[in-house]
Amino acid sequence: MIAGPELFGRQVVRTTPYESDPNRWAVLGDSCAWQLAELPAGVLATLTRHYEVPGEDAKGPVRLSATVTVHRTALDAAWEQAGMLEESLGCKEELLRPGERLTELSSTAYARGEGLNGYSDEFLEETGLCVSDSRGGPYPYKWDQATLGSVVISTSVCGGRGREADELSTLVQGALPKMLVRAKSELGGLDGSGSISPEPDASDGEGASTPGAKSDPEGGA
């Protein structure tokens, strides 16, 4: 289901390292700092890939990422989505690692049928600025995440010198829907609302929830 660089565009290439450790994921701590942690019981699999648009002329490189996480139930995926929205409201600035941070963050959520969300159970969008001691900044930053049944898919982009926000949005706006189409094909059995049928038992609710995880535009936490 996860994208290769070609899903973002011909100018996009792999970075090194290309893939994250599939046994760990990034979670946001109480101090608004990202850290790697073991996968919780409700997560069956997760993978993050990292990409780049190389710098050219007067423009700096652009960092991109995609993450696909498969939960045990659709309800677990919904709890991850809810957790991410709650955390984003509490953290207007996030530390990716020493010397690299996200600032001026703002988030919006769209249920199916709201806004332009006609392809996922719920869609989250976060925008802001990314700043790095080594790469400079602040540059435009954008992160999108959507759920489809038990699958959570996200993309992120961090700009570079001379890159405009519209250019970055164009890079990522097609990749996430294409991954959702792949997810729908793999899952099968989706009802008209885009949820897995039958619905998970309510007893798998809050007690099975997982912490929020986000793809990292700077190459892994």
Side-chain angles (χ1 to χ4, degrees):
M1 290 182 278
I2 196 168
E6 71 283 349
L7 217 61
F8 290 91
R10 288 179 295 176
Q11 74 273 44
V12 178
V13 298
R14 299 183 181 191
T15 62
T16 302
Y18 177 47
E19 294 186 343
S20 65
D21 180 351
N23 296 310
R24 297 166 69 82
W25 70 345
V27 296
L28 188 62
D30 293 338
S31 60
C32 296
W34 288 93
Q35 55 192 319
L36 291 177
E38 298 295 326
L39 297 183
V43 175
L44 299 179
T46 189
L47 185 66
T48 297
R49 285 179 174 173
H50 304 282
Y51 325 86
E52 182 180 78
V53 178
E56 59 179 359
D57 300 327
K59 294 187 176 183
V62 174
R63 299 287 184 90
L64 304 106
S65 70
T67 298
V68 175
T69 301
V70 182
H71 291 264
R72 195 168 296 277
T73 70
L75 193 57
D76 287 342
W79 275 110
E80 180 191 335
Q81 194 86 324
M84 282 305 307
L85 183 59
E86 181 179 355
E87 289 166 353
S88 65
L89 292 174
C91 294
K92 298 305 180 183
E93 181 170 322
E94 298 172 1
L95 180 69
L96 294 174
R97 64 185 61 78
E100 298 176 356
R101 64 191 187 278
L102 304 175
T103 66
E104 300 184 25
L105 296 173
S106 177
S107 300
T108 308
Y110 300 95
R112 180 180 290 271
E114 295 180 344
L116 298 177
N117 179 24
Y119 50 81
S120 69
D121 296 339
E122 187 175 37
F123 176 82
L124 298 183
E125 178 184 42
E126 183 176 76
T127 58
L129 301 172
C130 52
V131 183
S132 169
D133 289 350
S134 60
R135 297 182 61 242
Y139 304 126
Y141 162 79
K142 177 177 171 61
W143 168 79
D144 296 332
Q145 180 164 291
T147 58
L148 186 68
S150 59
V151 179
V152 180
I153 296 175
S154 64
T155 58
S156 71
V157 58
C158 172
R161 184 184 64 256
R163 306 282 187 173
E164 299 295 332
D166 289 347
E167 177 185 1
L168 305 181
S169 296
T170 300
L171 278 171
V172 296
Q173 67 184 4
L176 190 145
K178 291 174 184 176
M179 285 192 286
L180 285 168
V181 169
R182 292 179 177 182
K184 185 173 182 178
S185 176
E186 290 290 333
L187 289 171
L190 292 174
D191 63 22
S193 68
S195 297
I196 294 295
S197 181
E199 286 295 320
D201 187 86
S203 62
D204 292 331
E206 187 170 2
S209 65
T210 58
K214 183 191 295 186
S215 52
D216 177 1
E218 296 294 320

